[in-house]
């Protein structure tokens, strides 16, 4: 396991490059809005390597090769939690393109979930019985190298301003839907005015009880949990669930803790999903600490996604047998409510599919 040292990268003291109202904290230092932090994300492989103090001659050509396939995007607060000079830092691994991405591997595909098939009307995806997904935006605040989104044309599917009536009509006509999931991309990359409008409109559909948000933003830019977001969440009569995405305990710090606690105060139930990733979290120690640390900050572990064979991400592949053995180990170490469900999303299935180890107890084997 990688030992983390206190050596962290200091925040750069540069002026924001976009327009917007700046606030100053009591010490008089510049406080950026989440939009400014998002706009100032590192989007250049060379800049990322330089920030981490990594030798360009070793890493830049590979990083550029991956960057051409799926661009680099990392917000500053996430970079600040990385360890300088360590190319194996578990946070950096998630965002730094390696030359491996450009190497063709048999069996790794572009749309492993065959999502392109489930789209109902623009921006509305119905692949589950009681839940509908709204593709609020194709944008993400961070580009994770292992994500299948790297190949999916999400931008062409996202909602436009004119789609609202059509989407609402479709939901009105579907009394079996009781939960709407804001999805993307990252739905919290969208401004709160628009999200609040959607939340209000959905609250007007009688059979919709819950609003769920799947977002990595509260983790990668904790400042996203701003007063405007908390305002519309608090105001909404729907039950609110936010599923964050944390893969490694070092992603959690005081800022994420504070963001989570403000969300809970606004009546939001917090869950976490992770992806099992080689070199990031494929150890029982790391996963156990992740569960403990999440719970300490008020978040329940929910899903651990088995690895999907995404083209360009084979260097993260953990096979199902290894993943299932890790979860069995977690079951011994942790209370049941801290053990995430190991699942896979399979094309055409009405729910996630549990990934079970080969050595199931005898009574569960067929024949
Ligand atoms: C699986 C999945 C859902 C639905 O999740 P459940 O918790 O199983 O209802 C929603 N959004 C995304 C992106 C998913 O992958
Ligand atoms: S934030 Fe989520 S959807 Fe966006 S790139 Fe990362 S894993 Fe993919």
């Amino acid at each position: 396991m990688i030992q983390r040292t206190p050596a962290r990268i200091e925040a750069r003291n540069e002026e924001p490059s976009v327009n917007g109202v700046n606030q100053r904290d009591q010490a008089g230092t510049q406080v950026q809005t989440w939009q400014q932090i998002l706009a100032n994300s590192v989007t250049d492989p060379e800049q990322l390597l330089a920030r981490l103090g990594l030798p360009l001659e070793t890493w830049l050509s590979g990083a550029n090769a991956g960057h051409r396939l799926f661009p680099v995007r990392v917000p500053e607060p996430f970079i600040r939690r990385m360890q300088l000079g360590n190319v194996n830092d578990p946070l950096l691994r998630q965002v730094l393109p390696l030359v491996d991405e450009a190497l063709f591997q048999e069996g790794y595909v572009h749309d492993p979930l065959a999502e392109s098939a489930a789209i109902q009307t623009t921006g509305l995806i119905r692949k589950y019985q009681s839940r509908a997904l709204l593709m609020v935006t194709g944008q993400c605040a961070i580009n994770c190298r292992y994500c299948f989104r790297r190949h999916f044309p999400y931008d062409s599917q996202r909602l436009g301003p004119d789609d609202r009536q059509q989407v609402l009509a479709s939901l009105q006509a579907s009394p079996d839907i009781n939960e709407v999931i804001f999805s993307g991309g990252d739905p919290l990359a969208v401004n709160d005015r628009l999200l609040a409008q959607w939340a209000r409109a959905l609250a007007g559909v009688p059979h919709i009880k819950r609003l769920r948000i799947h977002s990595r933003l509260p983790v990668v830019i904790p400042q996203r949990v701003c007063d405007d977001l908390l305002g519309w969440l608090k105001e909404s009569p729907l039950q609110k669930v936010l599923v964050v995405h944390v893969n490694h305990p070092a992603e959690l710090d005081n800022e994420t803790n504070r963001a989570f606690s403000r969300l809970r105060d606004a009546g939001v139930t917090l869950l976490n999903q992770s992806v099992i990733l080689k070199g990031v979290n494929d150890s029982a120690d790391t996963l156990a600490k992740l569960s403990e640390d999440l719970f300490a900050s008020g978040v329940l572990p929910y899903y651990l996604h088995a690895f999907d064979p995404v083209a360009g991400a084979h260097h993260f592949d953990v096979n199902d047998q290894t993943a299932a053995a890790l979860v069995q180990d977690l079951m011994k170490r942790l209370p049941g409510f801290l053990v995430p469900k190991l699942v896979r999303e399979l094309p055409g299935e009405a729910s996630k599919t549990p990934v079970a180890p080969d050595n199931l107890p005898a009574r569960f084997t067929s024949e």
Side-chain angles (χ1 to χ4, degrees), residues 70 140-144 146-149 184-186 216 245:
F70 183 47
C140 276
I142 184 167
N143 281 346
C144 313
Y146 50 85
C147 182
F148 59 82
R149 196 185 67 90
D186 193 315
R216 216 178 176 190
H245 173 174

Side-chain angles (χ1 to χ4, degrees), residues 187-262:
L188 293 187
V190 163
N191 70 62
D192 286 308
R193 196 169 33 81
L194 189 80
L195 295 173
Q197 283 170 2
W198 270 109
R200 249 175 255 129
L202 293 172
V205 181
H207 48 269
I208 294 177
K209 307 284 181 240
R210 285 188 299 274
L211 173 62
R212 195 190 329 174
I213 303 171
H214 279 229
S215 173
R216 216 178 176 190
L217 258 157
V219 176
V220 302
I221 305 181
Q223 294 83 348
R224 177 65 186 89
V225 182
C226 59
D227 293 341
D228 289 344
L229 172 65
L230 296 166
W232 69 259
L233 283 170
K234 267 186 204 151
E235 176 197 289
S236 174
L238 298 170
Q239 285 195 293
K240 282 123 345 199
V241 179
L242 176 61
V243 183
V244 294
H245 173 174
V246 182
N247 296 315
H248 190 281
E251 291 172 49
L252 302 171
D253 65 2
N254 289 338
E255 287 189 325
T256 56
N257 282 353
R258 179 161 177 275
F260 294 158
S261 110
R262 297 184 82 200

Side-chain angles (χ1 to χ4, degrees), residues 53-194:
L54 291 166
L56 299 183
E57 58 278 17
T58 315
W59 301 107
L60 186 59
S61 72
N64 277 330
H67 175 68
R68 280 190 288 271
L69 297 168
F70 183 47
V72 163
R73 169 170 283 280
V74 203
E76 190 59 32
F78 196 74
I79 298 179
R80 238 176 271 149
R81 296 170 217 152
M82 297 175 186
Q83 190 189 40
L84 277 177
N86 179 9
V87 78
N88 293 320
D89 179 278
L91 279 62
L92 180 64
R93 289 272 310 185
Q94 298 177 50
V95 295
L96 175 67
L98 299 179
V99 69
D100 308 53
E101 294 187 15
L103 308 174
F104 172 79
Q105 291 279 321
E106 190 87 46
Y108 293 80
V109 298
H110 282 78
D111 183 9
L113 309 190
E115 286 215 301
S116 333
I119 290 154
Q120 201 184 38
T121 112
T122 313
L124 186 68
I125 295 186
R126 293 275 313 264
K127 43 179 193 182
Y128 310 107
Q129 261 177 30
S130 58
R131 294 139 287 165
L133 270 76
L134 268 190
M135 308 297 276
V136 179
T137 173
Q139 293 301 308
C140 276
I142 184 167
N143 281 346
C144 313
R145 309 314 302 176
Y146 50 85
C147 182
F148 59 82
R149 196 185 67 90
R150 58 185 292 147
H151 304 294
F152 192 75
Y154 280 109
D155 260 337
S156 62
Q157 303 305 339
R158 63 140 199 267
L159 290 166
D162 304 330
D163 298 323
R164 186 162 326 140
Q165 285 323 314
Q166 201 191 344
V167 166
L168 283 173
S170 168
L171 289 170
Q172 290 277 8
S174 315
D176 51 325
I177 298 289
N178 65 10
E179 176 172 321
V180 172
I181 303 172
F182 286 178
S183 191
D186 193 315
L188 293 187
V190 163
N191 70 62
D192 286 308
R193 196 169 33 81
L194 189 80

Side-chain angles (χ1 to χ4, degrees), residues 297-316:
S297 52
V299 184
L300 273 175
Y302 180 38
Y303 281 145
L304 177 61
H305 292 272
F307 190 81
D308 285 321
V310 182
H314 48 269
H315 52 298
F316 289 111

